[in-house]
Amino acid sequence: MGHHHDSLTRRRLLQAGAGCAALIGLSRKSVAADDKIVIGFWPIASGLPLYVGLERGIFKDAGLQVEGAKFASAQQVAEAMIAGRVQGSANGTASAALGLAEITSPGLFKIICSNPSNRHLVLDEFVVPKDSPVKSIADLAGKKIASGPGIQNVTLAKVILEKNGIANAQVTELPIGQHVPALAAGQLDAVYTLEPTGTAGRLKGLTRVLEPGVISKYVLGNADAPWFGGSASVTSAFLAEKPELARRYIAAYAKAVDWVRKYPDESRTHMDGFTAIDASLVKEVPLAGFTLYNEFKPSDIEYFQKFFDVFTERKIFSRRLDVKSLLYAG
């Protein structure tokens, strides 16, 4: 009897021990794996708050484990959000690609920050080879034109060409890192692209910017209007499942935005390694603006809505999206 009792006790202790070990393993794992925040980005200049947050330790200082995941297009970032592989997007992720994902998967995300650009806060531009005879966008009729990948880039390039009298233009999708080489090699006559492409090509002596701030001017009808072309977001699943962690991440992201605003020159250095620009050239790159979810003025929301409505008018969005409802409410 006593012997049986001993073995039972020992077995219980072992089981308890195993249980404790499992719990210890679990708690350690949850800090390492479950609390990891993966943010999808597209390698352009306006992704700066994420790059700064990662490289300057702003996320780490907030006790967060944040990882940037680079994607070839904004659509891939949105797909990863739908699949739950990433917890959000960095600035520079095409707002319309997020909009399309919202239509496919309603209630997918909330926008925590958007990046307005225009002719002063330059992000979007048409770029041509350095010695191109082309003097204006209207001269591009019948020419070989490319844009970055994805529906937002292609659609906007076509709208701009139309507004300059070029109907039914063909626009080829091309990864953004290939824009300068393709122009330099004479494979293309022009690209609709985003910074740092124009600066990189100009400083290498290969390309020149034909016209900057083209979306505000031709799509929104006002060269000074803010074009909210990219947005940082968090998924609604992340907000629901880890509300405290999500709030801490949003606060840290806002800190990174603040850092970019305060130290624009120093923050530019963080583009190297994330975008197609070398460290020696970054100081020349123009910067987009950043508008946090709690900083949107009514006029900002109007222009953001006007931008989204272009996609509804063109039947790319199957229904109208209300921008205001997509903003994180805090």
Side-chain angles (χ1 to χ4, degrees), residues 74 89-102 109 111 113-115 152 227-232 304 307-308 311 317 321 323 326:
S89 65
N91 274 100
T93 306
S95 299
L98 292 172
L100 272 174
E102 176 66 22
F109 65 87
I111 290 169
C113 184
S114 281
N115 42 272
Q152 172 167 307
W227 169 48
F228 293 99
S231 295
F304 202 154
F307 169 51
F308 265 13
F311 290 84
F317 286 0
L321 281 181
V323 166
L326 297 175

Side-chain angles (χ1 to χ4, degrees), residues 261-279:
R261 289 172 178 165
K262 279 197 183 110
Y263 311 107
D265 293 338
E266 208 176 330
S267 63
R268 278 181 177 83
T269 61
H270 297 287
M271 283 185 209
D272 178 37
F274 290 95
T275 71
I277 192 150
D278 322 330

Side-chain angles (χ1 to χ4, degrees), residues 110-185:
K110 292 293 178 205
I111 290 169
I112 59 169
C113 184
S114 281
N115 42 272
S117 49
N118 55 25
R119 65 180 170 160
H120 304 294
L121 302 162
V122 176
L123 179 65
D124 50 305
E125 57 203 2
F126 263 80
V127 173
V128 293
K130 187 167 97 59
D131 301 322
S132 166
V134 167
K135 292 200 171 49
S136 69
I137 294 172
D139 295 344
L140 296 175
K143 303 274 194 234
K144 285 206 284 285
I145 302 163
S147 76
I151 194 82
Q152 172 167 307
N153 290 301
V154 174
T155 303
L156 293 174
K158 286 181 176 174
V159 172
I160 293 158
L161 292 163
E162 277 171 26
K163 298 271 164 124
N164 282 277
I166 303 167
N168 310 318
Q170 294 301 301
V171 176
T172 311
E173 295 181 49
L174 192 67
I176 201 148
Q178 293 175 31
H179 288 187
V180 171
L183 287 169

Side-chain angles (χ1 to χ4, degrees), residues 197-330:
T197 307
T199 301
R202 175 173 64 81
L203 296 175
K204 286 175 184 160
L206 298 171
T207 61
R208 64 182 170 86
V209 174
L210 179 64
E211 192 178 340
V214 285
I215 308 296
S216 296
K217 183 172 172 184
Y218 299 110
V219 181
L220 300 178
N222 172 356
D224 295 316
W227 169 48
F228 293 99
S231 295
S233 67
V234 286
T235 63
S236 301
F238 180 41
L239 283 167
E241 290 158 21
K242 304 256 171 87
E244 186 47 39
L245 195 64
R247 270 199 296 275
R248 280 169 49 210
Y249 167 73
I250 294 164
Y253 196 94
K255 252 189 180 153
V257 167
D258 192 47
W259 205 92
V260 173
R261 289 172 178 165
K262 279 197 183 110
Y263 311 107
D265 293 338
E266 208 176 330
S267 63
R268 278 181 177 83
T269 61
H270 297 287
M271 283 185 209
D272 178 37
F274 290 95
T275 71
I277 192 150
D278 322 330
S280 56
L281 308 177
V282 292
K283 62 179 178 299
E284 302 270 352
V285 179
L287 295 183
F290 297 98
T291 304
L292 290 161
Y293 64 91
N294 54 2
E295 296 173 336
F296 277 86
K297 302 192 295 286
S299 62
D300 290 332
I301 292 172
E302 267 170 51
Y303 275 118
F304 202 154
Q305 189 64 55
K306 188 174 181 179
F307 169 51
F308 265 13
D309 291 347
V310 169
F311 290 84
T312 315
E313 284 153 23
R314 300 200 153 232
K315 310 266 190 287
I316 289 159
F317 286 0
S318 56
R319 61 182 174 87
R320 187 172 185 269
L321 281 181
D322 175 50
V323 166
K324 206 170 181 177
S325 69
L326 297 175
L327 296 176
Y328 175 67

